[in-house]
Structures are given as C-alpha cells and as structure tokens.
C-alpha cells in the first residue's frame, strides 16, 4: 500500500476502523469518510498524517455522482 491512498466509507464504524488500521499498517494513506464527522476525525487523529477525515453520506446520490 506504500504510496497509495484509499477512501474508506463508513470509516468511523467498527469495520471501517479496522480497514483504516490495516491500510495504514501496510503503508497506505486513508481518507476516513463517514456521515459522523467527529467520529471520523477521532479515527483519523490516531494515525497522524496517514489519515484524514471528511464528512460523507453515501446514501445521498448527489454526493456519489461526482
């Protein structure tokens, strides 16, 4: 994963957190995307500059159409 960036939707949930952890452990950078921004920020904060949080609602069609 070195040099790769992954977007993890639902990144503040249990499975999402595990995915973020694994990706970072393997050398990747992640975008922790979740409808709950404060929780996404808390997850991202654990990994310093290896993870960044954004507010994202995958259930909203216009957010996914870009």
């Amino acid at each position: 994963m070195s040099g790769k960036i992954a977007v993890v939707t639902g990144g503040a949930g249990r499975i999402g957190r595990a995915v973020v952890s694994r990706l970072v452990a393997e050398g990747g950078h992640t975008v922790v995307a979740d409808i709950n921004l404060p929780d996404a920020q808390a997850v991202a904060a654990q990994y310093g500059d290896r993870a960044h949080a954004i507010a994202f609602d995958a259930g909203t069609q216009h957010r996914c159409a870009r």
Side-chain angles (χ1 to χ4, degrees):
M1 288 299 304
S2 182
K4 304 286 183 178
I5 300 170
V7 177
V8 180
T9 58
R14 285 182 17 192
I15 294 171
R17 283 184 234 172
V19 171
V20 170
S21 176
R22 179 68 181 261
L23 292 169
V24 171
E26 292 187 11
H29 286 78
T30 63
V31 176
V32 182
D34 201 280
I35 195 168
N36 185 330
L37 182 57
D39 285 356
Q41 290 169 326
V43 171
Q46 297 175 46
Y47 302 102
D49 66 347
R50 310 281 292 178
H52 301 279
I54 63 166
F56 179 75
D57 181 0
T60 305
Q61 184 176 5
H62 77 276
R63 294 285 293 183
C64 297
R66 295 179 196 188

